[in-house]
Amino acid sequence: MTFFKQNYFIHLTALLVISLLTSSFTPSNSSNINNKKPSEKVEDKYITIKAVGDIVAGTNFPDYRLPRNVNQLFPKQVRDKLKNSDILFGNYESTLTNHPYTTKDITKGAVFAFRSPPEYASLFSQVGFDVMSVANNHAMDFGRKGFSDTVNNLNTAGVKTVGAKNQILYTKVKNIPVAWIGFCFYEYCNTVQDIQKAKALVKQARQKAKIVIISMHVGAEGSDALNVRNQTEYFYGENRGNSILFARSMVDAGADLILGHGPHVPRAMEVYKGKFIAYSLGNFLGYKTFSTTAEKGDSLILEAKINQDGDFVSAKIDSIQLDKTGIPQVDKYGKTIDLVKSLTKRSFPNTKISISQKGEISFSEQDVARKKN
């Protein structure tokens, strides 16, 4: 090979090496998506909460209404739907105790006392629950002893509880400080009627947490209570609070997500000042305890995504139906999606929430959330 040919090939090889090196090099100030490191996932910027409504895992008081196998209370398809979230939340509307004495006069009409075996606490841990509210009208069915047993049994099983008077539960999600506060309409809870005190609790929580989540047990019950109204609701003569006034007041005070339960039926949803409010998640499990007729059998799993500032990003409804024994089953027909969509339009006719046939919830004014992402 001549000198000139050798020189040519050496020169060509050098050019190829330089070309490969420069094509694989990305300057440090070049623009990646959202200016993030390539290894950082978009999902890391969001917190995903899955939430369900009222839960009673059967009762052994005053008669025996427990399943033969406790695992049948959460069918596999339902368990699968409850997976893949940063937090799984539910309202535990029973007790986990062996205490023999109820505080209620169950001889009166429509007065019930629920008691489930303490060992059932491990079931909720196995299913994946992280936080459960114990702020409801059945928390004290077996007095202070029953209440403390319930809290201790859930905590021992690895499920955190919220709902004791003046309690703020602090957790961390993706290294973000998250506070939880539970409210109900009885004096043994933080009450939904005392809005000024509730606001003070939210402001206290904001001092240590970046995100504040509210659990509210509020409103009348049954199919006659489907529509949420901006007025005080009564049930059997009890003042059960004003859902809209309470929820919006909590947002005004600094809360980021409101999860409602208690009416035993699903209710409307809204985005208020960039924050998501679910007014009632309905019944979720009521083994031989809850009525499942009409809308009382319509249930859901709510998936809500919020950003690191607590602003609404998106949400989704998975439709669930309770069978005649009160066990949740996946509903492929989307009945609860249609119901919540209708109720939302009825309760908030000017709403800018959109709910698709698949249950996907979006909001047409998400500019606040988008700007912060």
Side-chain angles (χ1 to χ4, degrees):
M1 185 181 288
T2 67
F3 172 81
F4 293 106
K5 285 183 178 179
Q6 286 175 333
N7 227 15
Y8 171 78
F9 283 114
I10 291 169
H11 181 67
L12 181 61
T13 303
L15 285 174
L16 286 170
V17 170
I18 291 168
S19 175
L20 287 169
L21 286 171
T22 54
S23 65
S24 62
F25 175 71
T26 304
S28 60
N29 62 351
S30 65
S31 61
N32 289 319
I33 297 173
N34 296 327
N35 292 319
K36 298 189 282 79
K37 295 178 183 178
S39 60
E40 184 182 349
K41 296 180 181 179
V42 174
E43 290 81 2
D44 289 342
K45 300 190 73 176
Y46 306 145
I47 292 177
T48 302
I49 299 101
K50 287 192 177 182
V52 299
D54 303 327
I55 295 171
V56 177
T59 183
N60 56 20
F61 183 92
D63 54 355
Y64 192 89
R65 282 172 282 158
L66 296 176
R68 290 183 179 179
N69 182 347
V70 66
N71 291 308
Q72 75 183 80
L73 297 176
F74 291 99
K76 184 182 183 304
Q77 282 190 321
V78 172
R79 293 184 190 220
D80 290 343
K81 291 284 186 182
L82 293 171
K83 293 178 180 177
N84 303 318
S85 66
D86 298 308
I87 305 169
L88 178 59
F89 166 87
N91 172 53
Y92 189 65
E93 200 166 11
S94 181
T95 58
L96 291 162
T97 184
N98 289 320
H99 188 62
Y101 306 113
T102 181
T103 56
K104 291 185 171 178
D105 183 358
I106 59 172
T107 62
K108 294 182 178 179
V111 177
F112 305 97
F114 299 135
R115 186 183 65 189
S116 306
E119 56 269 26
Y120 278 24
S122 61
L123 171 69
F124 303 117
S125 176
Q126 291 165 15
V127 170
F129 283 96
D130 299 292
V131 177
M132 277 199 166
S133 173
V134 289
N136 54 62
N137 54 314
H138 288 280
M140 292 287 178
D141 280 4
F142 287 80
R144 291 283 171 189
K145 172 61 175 169
F147 181 81
S148 63
D149 284 352
T150 302
V151 169
N152 291 336
N153 286 319
L154 285 169
N155 289 341
T156 299
V159 182
K160 294 180 173 66
T161 58
V162 64
K165 190 84 167 178
N166 299 317
Q167 180 198 12
I168 301 173
L169 171 68
Y170 293 99
T171 62
K172 271 197 173 182
V173 181
K174 294 184 176 177
N175 214 32
I176 300 168
V178 178
W180 297 75
I181 313 174
F183 295 87
C184 80
F185 42 78
Y186 284 165
E187 283 299 324
Y188 56 70
C189 302
N190 303 308
T191 65
V192 293
Q193 296 93 336
D194 193 341
I195 289 178
Q196 292 309 309
K197 187 172 181 181
K199 282 183 173 182
L201 277 171
V202 172
K203 290 174 182 177
Q204 180 183 339
R206 294 273 343 166
Q207 294 175 10
K208 293 183 179 180
K210 192 170 182 182
I211 291 173
V212 178
I213 301 176
I214 300 296
S215 162
M216 63 173 189
H217 200 77
V218 59
E221 297 182 15
S223 296
D224 293 336
L226 281 165
N227 297 309
V228 58
R229 299 183 178 89
N230 197 357
Q231 63 187 44
T232 301
E233 297 181 56
Y234 292 87
F235 190 69
Y236 283 98
E238 293 179 338
N239 178 337
R240 295 201 167 184
N242 180 325
S243 300
I244 293 178
L245 177 62
F246 177 79
R248 290 178 176 178
S249 295
M250 295 305 94
V251 172
D252 291 340
D256 299 291
L257 175 66
I258 315 291
L259 302 172
H261 39 80
H264 295 293
V265 290
R267 281 184 165 186
M269 299 176 181
E270 73 166 333
V271 175
Y272 172 73
K273 294 185 177 179
K275 311 298 183 179
F276 191 72
I277 302 171
Y279 281 98
S280 176
L281 299 171
N283 293 328
F284 188 67
L285 168 64
Y287 184 75
K288 295 186 177 181
T289 52
F290 290 159
S291 168
T292 61
T293 59
E295 293 87 358
K296 295 189 287 293
D298 297 338
S299 184
L300 69 140
I301 300 169
L302 172 70
E303 178 183 293
K305 287 184 184 292
I306 58 177
N307 66 18
Q308 294 185 17
D309 294 310
D311 296 316
F312 172 77
V313 175
S314 65
K316 185 176 184 294
I317 296 169
D318 275 316
S319 186
I320 300 291
Q321 288 289 305
L322 302 189
D323 65 21
K324 63 181 181 180
T325 65
I327 293 177
Q329 307 288 343
V330 172
D331 169 36
K332 64 182 180 180
Y333 299 106
K335 188 179 177 186
T336 307
I337 296 170
D338 292 338
L339 175 62
V340 173
K341 186 175 183 178
S342 171
L343 291 172
T344 298
K345 243 340 187 187
R346 193 185 311 166
S347 296
F348 305 106
N350 298 318
T351 186
K352 293 180 180 177
I353 272 184
S354 174
I355 304 176
S356 74
Q357 289 301 111
K358 293 182 179 180
E360 296 158 339
I361 303 173
S362 57
F363 185 61
S364 61
E365 291 184 353
Q366 292 181 38
D367 55 315
V368 175
R370 284 172 180 159
K371 286 175 184 176
K372 293 181 180 179
N373 282 287

